[in-house]
């Protein structure tokens, strides 16, 4: 039997890659450092491109069943409470992009992926395993792990996230770019959401050096709240509990309707967002990076997980086609994915500065330009992102 392919990390990217590669005929070992599989209890947005990936990975029905289909992506001015723009995600949007726009609870999406992996006899998931690096050899890779013998496999996919050990060895750029932007997240029952904000939309309130986001989850039972401001923090933070008063600090200048989001929220947690510059090389022989390990990005296009799933589609497509030439397949994957994901990384940064967080004349220009756009113009502008997928690049 052919030696298996190992995947470091069982996040959305790693499990998607496991499904895709197993469907391409390979035995897969997923190595996850956490003692149990899971995702943080927050929401995630899914562009139409994510649905193509679900279908390719064989989980289209299951993913569609847990998604909440929002009516629009709406931008409000957090300073005066006026609507800036709205892209409807109904019939014309679906017809244009062949799929819907949706939001989903991360836990539910991760469970869909886990269930599909566990039902696949080719996939072996091992938890509590911390990958520390790798050694490449002739047609094999030794995966190095804390407190265990190396695992010899045919190839290794580093889907081990923002602080990837596989990337650290391959690329050597261990320092993250700490944006200083503080993001606070929570999920609340819908009955605790301010009644005048219970919209079935992905709503974003854009204000000077800050923005606030809310959308429904779990069939409308919950609301996902995410608020961000430039706090100038210099160290990464991940999921630290904070008080409502701390969250409020960066938002005293926003209108009362938007400010309610913070006061109605509870059990807020803090993340300090980080990303990295794009890179051209994601492979080393039969070792490749995928998802945040390859292209960590700011969340301002809501595409990090969508890109990880596209990576999985592309990778498994090429590995499935090229038979034993896994190195060649990984190289093709790298060539086809690098430009698209770099564009998303860079555009996400620009969105933060020029669309979500400007003030004064720049905010006025944004409002004027965006208010005058037709639905068709919105769709045309989103085409590069939503009408493409992991195979079309
Ligand atoms: C505030 C915020 C909002 C976002 N919103 C969206 C959105 O709306 N839409 C969207 O598409 N994306 C969004 N993203 C981005 C998205 O969350 C990430 O891009 C995505 O989760 C990356 O998935 P991944 O599998 O590559 O990495 P991760 O989810 O980080 O998974 C990596 C896995 O590897 C494991 N691991 C790490 N190191 C090791 C090791 N050494 N050995 C073994 N296992 C290891 C980890 O425990 C983890 O399980 C958002 C991000 C943030 C911060």
């Amino acid at each position: 039997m052919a030696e298996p392919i190992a995947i470091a990390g069982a996040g959305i990217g790693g499990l998607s890659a496991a499904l895709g590669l197993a469907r391409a005929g390979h035995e897969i070992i997923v190595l996850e450092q956490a003692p149990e599989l899971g995702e943080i209890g927050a929401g995630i947005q899914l562009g139409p491109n994510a649905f193509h990936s679900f279908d390719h990975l064989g989980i289209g029905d299951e993913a569609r069943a847990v998604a909440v289909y929002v009516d629009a992506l709406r931008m409000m001015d957090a300073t005066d409470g006026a609507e800036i723009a709205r892209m409807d995600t109904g019939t014309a949007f679906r017809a244009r992009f062949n799929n819907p726009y949706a939001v989903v609870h991360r836990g539910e999406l991760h469970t869909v992926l886990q269930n599909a992996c566990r039902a696949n006899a080719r996939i072996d998931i091992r938890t509590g395993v911390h990958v520390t690096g790798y050694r490449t050899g002739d047609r094999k890779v030794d995966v190095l792990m804390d407190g265990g013998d190396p695992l010899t496999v045919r190839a290794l996919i580093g889907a081990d996230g923002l602080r990837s050990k596989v990337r650290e060895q391959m690329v050597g750029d261990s320092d993250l770019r700490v944006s200083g932007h503080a993001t606070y997240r929570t999920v609340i029952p819908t009955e605790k959401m301010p009644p005048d904000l219970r919209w079935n939309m992905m709503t974003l309130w854009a204000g000077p050096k800050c923005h606030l986001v809310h959308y429904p989850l779990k069939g409308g039972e919950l609301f996902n709240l995410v608020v961000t401001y430039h706090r100038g923090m210099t160290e990464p933070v991940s999921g630290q509990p904070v008080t409502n008063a701390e969250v409020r600090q960066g938002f005293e200048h926003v209108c009362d309707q938007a400010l309610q989001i913070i006061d109605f929220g509870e059990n807020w947690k803090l993340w300090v967002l980080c990303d990295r510059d794009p890179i051209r090389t994601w492979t080393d022989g039969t070792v490749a990076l995928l998802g945040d390990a390859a292209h960590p990005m700011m969340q301002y296009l809501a595409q990090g997980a969508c890109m990880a799933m596209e990576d999985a589609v592309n990778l498994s497509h090429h590995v499935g086609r090229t038979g034993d030439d896994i190195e060649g397949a990984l190289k093709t994957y790298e060539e086809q994915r690098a430009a698209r994901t770099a564009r998303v990384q860079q555009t996400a940064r620009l969105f933060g500065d020029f669309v979500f967080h400007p003030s004064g004349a720049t905010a006025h220009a944004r409002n004027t330009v965006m208010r005058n756009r037709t639905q068709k113009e919105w769709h045309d502008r989103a085409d590069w992102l939503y009408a493409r997928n992991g195979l079309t690049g």
Side-chain angles (χ1 to χ4, degrees):
M1 189 192 298
E3 276 164 311
I5 295 176
I7 297 173
I12 292 170
L15 293 186
S16 299
L19 279 179
L21 291 169
R23 283 167 72 87
H26 287 268
E27 303 291 318
I28 306 299
I29 301 173
V30 182
L31 305 168
E32 166 58 44
Q33 66 179 2
E36 283 175 26
L37 297 189
E39 254 286 350
I40 60 159
I44 194 163
Q45 300 176 50
L46 302 169
N49 50 325
F51 287 87
H52 177 86
S53 301
F54 294 141
D55 289 333
H56 182 97
L57 300 173
I59 54 169
D61 291 345
E62 293 81 354
R64 283 179 176 83
V66 293
V68 173
Y69 300 96
V70 287
D71 300 329
L73 310 185
R74 187 185 201 194
M75 184 180 278
M76 310 290 288
D77 189 322
T79 311
D80 61 12
E83 182 178 277
I84 301 171
R86 177 200 287 234
M87 175 161 68
D88 295 328
T89 48
T91 312
F93 179 95
R94 289 185 186 211
R96 171 75 182 255
F97 300 117
N98 291 318
N99 264 311
Y101 198 97
V103 290
V104 68
H105 192 278
R106 282 170 183 261
E108 289 191 315
L109 175 58
H110 201 261
T111 300
V112 166
L113 288 162
Q114 274 182 55
N115 289 346
C117 285
R118 296 211 190 276
N120 191 317
R122 290 202 173 109
I123 301 175
D124 170 9
I125 301 179
R126 302 180 189 175
T127 53
V129 182
H130 181 74
V131 173
T132 56
Y134 62 87
R135 241 181 351 239
T136 49
D138 183 24
R139 295 171 50 81
K140 65 169 187 141
V141 183
D142 291 332
V143 185
L144 311 178
M145 298 167 291
D146 263 346
D149 293 333
L151 174 72
T152 301
V153 290
R154 182 74 180 86
L156 168 66
I157 309 304
D160 46 347
L162 191 62
R163 294 173 183 78
S164 167
K165 288 285 173 196
V166 180
R167 177 177 176 135
E168 192 178 308
Q169 176 174 340
M170 185 189 293
V171 185
D173 58 348
S174 54
D175 286 342
L176 293 165
R177 194 192 71 109
V178 183
S179 69
H181 298 192
T183 282
Y184 302 88
R185 298 200 262 198
T186 191
V187 172
I188 57 171
T190 294
E191 62 266 20
K192 294 200 170 170
M193 187 69 181
D196 60 337
L197 293 177
R198 290 180 196 169
W199 304 327
N200 185 38
M201 296 185 217
M202 194 300 295
T203 307
L204 186 144
W205 300 77
K209 296 196 170 177
C210 75
H211 73 275
L212 308 91
V213 168
H214 51 89
Y215 51 80
L217 292 175
K218 285 205 171 175
E221 284 172 33
L222 303 174
F223 260 81
N224 189 56
L225 312 180
V226 188
V227 301
T228 300
Y229 76 90
H230 292 205
R231 195 173 152 185
M233 295 174 83
T234 53
E235 294 297 323
V237 176
S238 188
Q240 178 184 306
V242 289
T243 62
N244 284 37
E246 179 177 333
V247 182
R248 228 175 187 272
Q249 283 172 37
F251 300 92
E252 297 296 350
H253 57 304
V254 308
C255 66
D256 288 345
Q257 193 184 11
L259 200 56
Q260 298 179 88
I261 297 161
I262 295 170
D263 296 335
F264 279 67
E266 49 194 27
N267 303 319
W268 287 99
K269 291 196 176 126
L270 164 67
W271 278 258
V272 174
L273 302 174
C274 304
D275 68 358
R276 295 182 192 273
D277 289 330
I279 47 171
R280 283 287 285 117
T281 304
W282 306 355
T283 58
D284 176 7
T286 54
V287 182
L289 303 176
L290 179 144
D292 274 8
H295 42 69
M297 58 185 70
M298 302 295 285
Q299 86 273 26
Y300 301 150
L301 280 188
Q303 279 285 325
C306 297
M307 286 299 125
M309 292 187 285
E310 283 193 6
D311 289 347
V313 168
N314 186 288
L315 176 76
S316 50
H317 173 77
H318 292 297
V319 169
R321 274 163 59 110
T322 50
D324 201 37
D325 181 15
I326 293 185
E327 188 166 346
L330 299 190
K331 214 65 202 154
T332 308
Y333 154 75
E334 174 190 85
E335 276 160 23
Q336 292 194 355
R337 293 297 297 155
R340 176 162 167 81
T341 54
R343 183 176 179 190
V344 179
Q345 280 175 291
Q346 299 290 33
T347 310
R349 284 185 187 172
L350 290 174
F351 257 58
D353 290 341
F354 297 111
V355 181
F356 290 3
H357 299 158
S359 55
T362 310
H364 175 71
R366 172 201 64 200
N367 292 2
T368 308
V369 169
M370 291 178 88
R371 279 197 177 114
N372 286 324
R373 252 179 222 154
T374 64
Q375 290 298 309
K376 169 151 187 333
E377 284 169 336
W378 279 113
H379 295 170
D380 289 346
R381 296 186 78 82
D383 195 84
W384 72 276
L385 197 50
Y386 298 158
R388 313 286 166 79
N389 57 55
L391 297 179
T392 53

